[in-house]
Amino acid sequence: AQSVAQPEDQVNVAEGNPLTVKCTYSVSGNPYLFWYVQYPNRGLQFLLKYITGDNLVKGSYGFEAEFNKSQTSFHLKKPSALVSDSALYFCAVRDGGYSTLTFGKGTMLLVSP
Amino acid sequence: DTAVSQTPKYLVTQMGNDKSIKCEQNLGHDTMYWYKQDSKKFLKIMFSYNNKELIINETVPNRFSPKSPDKAHLNLHINSLELGDSAVYFCASSQDRGLINEKLFFGSGTQLSVL
């Protein structure tokens, strides 16, 4: 079985500061990892994914994520936060093959001016 | 043009009623999904169709019946609505079900409130 944990319900950061949204996963095979963002009253939007290759993955809007196999983590990062980054962020994992995406419970990111 | 569109955006109804939510995608994708997001924002898959064929049916009450008239449409019909059905329902699509690196495209959601 596959699972995803996002240990923080909310992350607060000041504009201009770096941000990290944490995600850990559990799979039986190779993990395929994703980050999605949900703005208020909108559907989820794809940010980035890790399938194989470089552990640091770059995505939309200046976000990046680092895959760490030993720690089974895939934390989302951005060097300098913007107020417009405030949204709900979901980590998701797929265990390969035809398995479905399993989403974490989401982390609300609030960036203050 | 909206890639994945679902209607209605808001649905308020009484317990016991039957209602439908419609979803259409214009991306040419083969696979469509229904997800339920509860009040705590937890997102859980309900159904998935690939080329009009049901491929995923999670533990969902049989009051929920998806229907896919063609691969561009996946509608969700709910019978005998209950208070616990109140949630936001998201439709999504992807190019194929088997590609492990594929991403999902989501609609903007239908907020269902059962009174």
Side-chain angles (χ1 to χ4, degrees), chain B:
Chain B
D1 286 341
T2 303
V4 181
S5 58
Q6 50 183 113
T7 56
K9 190 170 177 63
Y10 300 98
L11 185 53
V12 181
T13 188
Q14 299 288 328
M15 259 194 324
N17 284 351
D18 303 338
K19 291 293 179 184
S20 292
I21 307 172
K22 295 185 177 181
C23 179
E24 176 182 4
Q25 55 94 3
N26 62 6
L27 297 167
H29 287 170
D30 288 341
T31 307
M32 296 184 72
Y33 311 80
W34 278 109
Y35 279 84
K36 179 180 179 181
Q37 187 176 45
D38 63 23
S39 58
K40 295 184 178 180
K41 304 297 184 183
F42 186 68
L43 199 65
K44 188 172 182 180
I45 190 167
M46 301 174 68
F47 302 103
S48 176
Y49 270 72
N50 180 263
N51 271 320
K52 303 192 297 177
E53 178 185 348
L54 180 66
I55 55 171
I56 294 171
N57 184 349
E58 294 295 310
T59 308
V60 176
N62 57 15
R63 299 182 294 104
F64 290 78
S65 53
K67 284 184 172 55
S68 182
D70 54 63
K71 74 173 191 176
H73 295 83
L74 180 61
N75 303 323
L76 183 64
H77 188 77
I78 316 170
N79 290 326
S80 303
L81 278 155
E82 300 178 356
L83 293 176
D85 296 333
S86 296
V88 181
Y89 292 84
F90 286 101
C91 179
S93 72
S94 62
Q95 179 63 48
D96 192 3
R97 64 171 174 153
L99 296 176
I100 56 178
N101 61 349
E102 63 184 330
K103 60 185 181 183
L104 300 181
F105 292 78
F106 282 82
S108 57
T110 296
Q111 174 123 31
L112 172 64
S113 299
V114 182
L115 307 177

Side-chain angles (χ1 to χ4, degrees), chain A:
Chain A
Q2 57 196 37
S3 65
V4 176
Q6 293 180 244
E8 304 150 318
D9 289 335
Q10 184 167 304
V11 170
N12 296 300
V13 64
E15 188 172 33
N17 283 357
L19 69 88
T20 298
V21 182
K22 295 180 180 178
C23 171
T24 58
Y25 65 89
S26 174
V27 296
S28 55
N30 289 324
Y32 302 95
L33 296 153
F34 302 78
W35 277 100
Y36 284 80
V37 59
Q38 184 180 22
Y39 297 102
N41 301 314
R42 302 290 297 276
L44 279 70
Q45 297 176 32
F46 170 81
L47 267 183
L48 51 78
K49 64 184 178 187
Y50 171 83
I51 304 300
T52 187
D54 289 341
N55 289 342
L56 186 64
V57 178
K58 294 189 183 297
S60 307
Y61 312 122
F63 283 92
E64 57 190 28
E66 187 168 12
F67 170 65
N68 187 317
K69 188 173 183 178
S70 63
Q71 296 185 5
T72 61
S73 66
F74 189 57
H75 300 331
L76 182 69
K77 300 181 180 183
K78 187 172 182 181
S80 179
L82 299 172
V83 173
S84 58
D85 292 330
S86 298
L88 187 58
Y89 290 81
F90 289 92
C91 184
V93 68
R94 174 181 280 136
D95 200 355
Y98 291 97
S99 68
T100 60
L101 268 181
T102 295
F103 286 87
K105 65 178 175 60
T107 298
M108 178 63 73
L109 173 66
L110 293 177
V111 182
S112 55

